Amino acid sequence: MKNILIILLLVVNLSMVISQPITAKEKDFISLAYVSLSMLNMHKLEASEVKPLLDRYNWNGISDVALINGVFMTGKDGSIITSWNRDEWPAVFDGIDYKGDSIDEQKQREMLCSKKVVKEVVKYFKKKGIDIWLSQTPYCWLTGGSLGAVLEEHEKTMLYAHRLNRFARKFGCVGLDFDFEFPPTERQAQGYRELMQESKRLGMKVSVCAIQPTVDKSYQDNCFPDDATVNSHEGKYMKWEKIVGEGIVDNINVMQYLAYNPKQKQMDVNVKYEKMSIWEKAYPEEFTSSRKVNMLCGIGYYSLMLPEAKVGKNIKGKGTLNFNQLYEKYGQAAYTDGLVGGEHAVWTTDDVRDIVRTAKAKGWKGVFTWLVTHDFTLEHPLKYNRQQALAEEVEKIWKNE
């Protein structure tokens, strides 16, 4: 009987240890990198092919990685959908996305990676001492799909929060990154805040993506040089003042990737700093040691910013090329960022260095990259590698140089 009690106590203690969330390391300056598994076609890979692929990129100067797309999806019944529980998949969500096209969740489900591949990705970054976040995404920008259906109901949202947190902890994640840009209804936005708040209560770190704070009632996102899209939802429903004031999240990742100067026909760090100052003026305390929420400054490298992709909401084909693919198409012309029409719509390495230093000086808690894996690989000259420039500047901050 005594032996049985000892065994039971050991089992209970072990279960308590397993259920505890992984604790994120505190950092003076955060450097987060998004990695999209599906954009790297990892759903087509074997586990043995993961390391050689990731080794092509520079992971120095990165403290955290957010795994986005290809790991899991949300079921409209509040379930977690993976490639390895296919027999349990609920029906797809039927509807129309923000462009008026039919939602095709099945296509995204077919791009989920195997469990062995996901574990190999996690193992790769853990060996480098990098903290891992899991990104929660909707069907697409402004369209929730199955996630939107979950957020419509409080009980379902709470159930899903517990499932999502358990799932993230199984892979040793320190936090959940919420990347819904942005809930199109007031009810979905409320459910979104409830999901984030419950995740933080359950012990996970929580981050959320943003573009502009709700400092006025009107909001237009001139993200692309030619006003490719208009977003009136973020300012209307997100309630950043509530998210910041109540400390609902740990980090806000500000996605002001583009700062295009139409007169100069190129990116302009001064335009970038004007955008950053909107947040600095709206929530000045968050840029001091008294902050409730860490503000991270976004720096983006991907080809949707290139002039050849400036076709509004109908971006297809070449608009999804990363810089390595652009090199295959254009050769060394891809090294200059003015491939079409003499315009320059991506950051230079000097720009990146300036943005990192300025963000630090203005009290931002860190920077983040969308996407490391869309910049040039290490096979290309480092003077064109924006992530290399970011890494060097971040490491100088870490070393107090």
Side-chain angles (χ1 to χ4, degrees):
M1 184 66 180
K2 182 179 179 181
N3 289 337
I4 293 174
L5 287 173
I6 291 173
I7 292 171
L8 285 172
L9 285 171
L10 286 172
V11 170
V12 170
N13 287 334
L14 180 60
S15 66
M16 289 177 67
V17 170
I18 292 173
S19 66
Q20 293 300 308
I22 305 298
T23 303
K25 299 184 288 292
E26 288 299 321
K27 308 172 186 74
D28 291 333
F29 194 76
I30 299 167
S31 179
L32 168 72
Y34 282 91
V35 178
S36 172
L37 277 60
S38 58
M39 288 184 182
L40 287 172
N41 289 317
M42 284 195 176
H43 57 291
K44 299 178 181 178
L45 299 186
E46 299 295 329
S48 61
E49 298 174 292
V50 169
K51 185 178 184 299
L53 174 61
L54 294 178
D55 277 345
R56 297 181 65 206
Y57 298 90
N58 172 37
W59 303 106
N60 294 326
I62 293 174
S63 59
D64 299 72
V65 158
L67 303 181
I68 187 167
N69 301 324
V71 179
F72 78 103
M73 289 180 64
T74 306
K76 63 182 181 182
D77 59 353
S79 60
I80 301 290
I81 296 173
T82 65
S83 68
W84 54 90
N85 68 358
R86 181 180 289 266
D87 293 341
E88 303 170 12
W89 286 2
V92 296
F93 182 90
D94 292 321
I96 303 297
D97 70 10
Y98 74 99
K99 302 188 300 289
D101 298 329
S102 295
I103 289 177
D104 186 4
E105 287 188 340
Q106 188 60 37
K107 180 180 179 180
Q108 292 184 351
R109 291 182 180 189
E110 298 303 330
M111 297 178 72
L112 291 169
C113 300
S114 70
K115 181 184 281 189
K116 288 183 178 179
V117 164
V118 174
K119 284 185 173 181
E120 196 63 28
V121 171
V122 170
K123 175 183 173 183
Y124 181 88
F125 290 117
K126 282 195 169 184
K127 285 186 72 173
K128 292 183 176 294
I130 295 174
D131 281 341
I132 300 169
W133 297 63
L134 191 62
S135 289
Q136 167 71 69
T137 61
Y139 170 71
C140 67
W141 192 60
L142 295 176
T143 306
S146 287
L147 175 62
V150 171
L151 299 178
E152 293 281 351
E153 301 178 31
H154 175 75
E155 292 76 13
K156 193 178 289 185
T157 298
M158 292 297 100
L159 174 64
Y160 179 68
H162 285 252
R163 289 171 173 170
L164 179 60
N165 280 259
R166 283 197 301 270
F167 181 77
R169 279 198 287 269
K170 283 181 181 178
F171 286 101
C173 297
V174 302
L176 290 166
D177 170 71
F178 291 88
D179 193 9
F180 189 175
E181 312 157 27
F182 293 92
T185 69
E186 187 171 2
R187 182 64 191 89
Q188 286 189 27
Q190 179 183 332
Y192 194 39
R193 292 190 298 273
E194 291 170 351
L195 178 57
M196 292 187 289
Q197 192 165 31
E198 183 66 4
S199 295
K200 186 173 179 179
R201 190 191 70 80
L202 290 170
M204 296 294 282
K205 291 284 186 179
V206 173
S207 66
V208 63
C209 293
I211 297 177
Q212 184 166 311
T214 49
V215 292
D216 54 39
K217 293 182 179 179
S218 62
Y219 171 63
Q220 181 172 352
D221 172 22
N222 296 317
C223 228
F224 288 77
D226 285 343
D227 300 341
T229 186
V230 174
N231 166 14
S232 61
H233 297 295
E234 180 187 9
K236 191 173 183 179
Y237 300 126
M238 281 298 289
K239 295 187 178 179
W240 292 111
E241 66 281 359
K242 182 179 180 68
I243 291 172
V244 173
E246 297 181 11
I248 289 176
V249 301
D250 297 283
N251 303 342
I252 294 179
N253 302 342
V254 180
M255 306 179 298
Q256 298 163 331
Y257 303 135
L258 275 189
Y260 185 76
N261 187 323
K263 293 181 179 179
Q264 298 177 8
K265 292 192 174 182
Q266 65 181 25
M267 301 286 275
D268 184 345
V269 290
N270 293 313
V271 175
K272 172 74 172 176
Y273 300 149
E274 287 175 8
K275 288 186 173 184
M276 291 164 60
S277 71
I278 297 173
W279 284 93
E280 294 159 9
K281 292 174 182 176
Y283 302 107
E285 193 167 311
E286 306 315 310
F287 297 88
T288 71
S289 59
S290 301
R291 62 175 65 87
K292 294 189 186 76
V293 177
N294 297 324
M295 306 297 296
L296 304 189
C297 175
I299 306 175
Y301 331 124
Y302 69 135
S303 59
L304 293 182
M305 298 176 180
L306 292 170
E308 69 170 13
K310 295 188 306 174
V311 289
K313 298 177 183 178
N314 297 314
I315 296 174
K316 295 180 180 178
K318 59 189 177 184
T320 63
L321 297 178
N322 62 36
F323 285 105
N324 298 296
Q325 293 166 325
L326 287 167
Y327 181 83
E328 294 174 2
K329 179 175 180 180
Y330 291 102
Q332 291 193 8
Y335 291 145
T336 69
D337 51 355
L339 300 179
V340 178
E343 296 186 31
H344 298 257
V346 292
W347 296 115
T348 66
T349 51
D350 286 342
D351 290 335
V352 169
R353 292 180 187 280
D354 200 275
I355 292 168
V356 173
R357 291 194 295 262
T358 301
K360 171 64 176 174
K362 290 188 173 183
W364 292 72
K365 184 64 175 178
V367 292
F368 72 95
T369 305
W370 177 275
L371 295 150
V372 170
T373 47
H374 267 43
D375 201 9
F376 289 117
T377 64
L378 294 175
E379 298 163 10
H380 295 266
L382 293 182
K383 71 175 182 177
Y384 300 111
N385 191 303
R386 298 158 185 83
Q387 179 57 35
Q388 177 70 19
L390 181 143
E392 290 175 357
E393 293 304 317
V394 168
E395 287 177 342
K396 286 179 183 178
I397 291 172
W398 288 347
K399 296 174 184 175
N400 293 315
E401 294 182 358

